[in-house]
């Protein structure tokens, strides 16, 4: 049973690797970014509250994201495992996640932290911005802001899990398949 978290800075390849891994492991892919983008497109109450933060590269307030994750994890398809991509992004989210999973008696089994050096991240993010990914938060300034927010608010989440015995740091540099292999190896180690 895999109940996984995928950590890493913007541009590290979290989304790509998460989708591949979910296919291989047969668990649902839970991306809070995807859920929030859908809410924005639907102009739901959540979307209206989240849009401004997302468009400026800031984090959506913890209470909103924690609530939507709690609802998602309570869905029946998560009973056989899941992969969280883009959550938790703050220490408060990590603590709330522990509490909600304790209630479900279903603790996290693996935390994969994709590591990519800052210079490479910037290059990748710039590439994504100039290619016009279709994401409204992919302009260069917003991408730089997202990176800043990552270092300030999300990087400490790695420290939260580092000594848990579930933490696997994986080099995110290289071909997509290579990185997938590394992750799978780290999960079996
Ligand atoms: P992502 O697709 O994961 O990069 O997320 C896109 C945007 O959605 C982020 O820049 C945040 O504004 C928001 N977001 C996604 N996940 C979270 C989260 N766990 N906490 C706060 N904001 C989030």
């Amino acid at each position: 049973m895999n109940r996984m978290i995928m950590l890493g800075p913007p541009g590290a390849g979290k989304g790509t690797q998460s989708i591949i891994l979910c296919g291989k492991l047969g668990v649902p892919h839970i991306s809070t970014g995807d859920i929030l983008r859908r809410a924005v497109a639907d102009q739901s109450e959540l979307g209206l509250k989240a849009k401004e933060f997302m468009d400026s590269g800031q984090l959506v307030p913890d209470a909103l994201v924690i609530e939507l994750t709690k609802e998602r994890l309570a869905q029946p398809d998560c009973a056989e495992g899941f992969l969280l991509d883009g959550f938790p992004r703050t220490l408060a989210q990590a603590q709330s996640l522990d509490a909600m999973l304790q209630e479900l008696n279903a603790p996290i089994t693996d935390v994969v932290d994709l590591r990519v050096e800052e210079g490479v991240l910037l290059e990748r993010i710039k590439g994504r911005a100039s290619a016009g990914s279709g994401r409204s938060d992919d302009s260069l300034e917003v991408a730089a802001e997202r990176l800043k927010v990552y270092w300030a608010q999300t990087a400490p989440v790695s420290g939260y899990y580092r000594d848990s015995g579930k933490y696997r740091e994986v080099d995110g540099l290289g071909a997509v398949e290579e990185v997938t292999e590394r992750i799978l190896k780290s999960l079996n180690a």
Side-chain angles (χ1 to χ4, degrees), residues 3 70 73-74 78 82 98-107:
R3 286 184 296 266
K70 202 170 179 178
L73 288 175
C78 293
F82 52 81
D98 273 350
M100 60 179 102
L101 292 180
Q102 202 167 352
E103 236 169 75
L104 297 169
N105 205 8

Side-chain angles (χ1 to χ4, degrees), residues 8-13 113-126 147 150-151 169-174 179 182:
D113 199 354
L114 273 185
R115 310 305 303 178
V116 174
E117 57 183 277
E118 175 114 29
V120 177
L121 291 177
L122 273 173
E123 283 310 310
R124 285 190 186 174
I125 295 175
K126 273 186 203 165
L147 213 47
Y150 168 79
W151 289 116
E169 201 168 72
V170 175
D171 179 5
L173 211 58
V179 177
R182 272 181 222 142

Side-chain angles (χ1 to χ4, degrees), residues 29-40 44-47 49-50 54 60-75 78 84-87 89 93 96-97 100:
H29 174 219
I30 303 179
S31 156
T32 44
D34 283 352
I35 296 171
L36 288 166
R37 275 184 289 277
R38 212 172 307 133
V40 170
S44 68
E45 200 180 323
L46 171 67
K49 285 184 189 153
M54 296 174 74
V60 173
D62 282 337
L64 289 178
V65 185
I66 287 167
E67 186 54 34
L68 81 82
T69 304
K70 202 170 179 178
E71 280 172 21
R72 183 61 189 88
L73 288 175
Q75 299 294 309
C78 293
L84 282 167
D85 164 16
F87 182 96
R89 257 179 160 100
Q93 291 178 19
S96 297
L97 178 64
M100 60 179 102

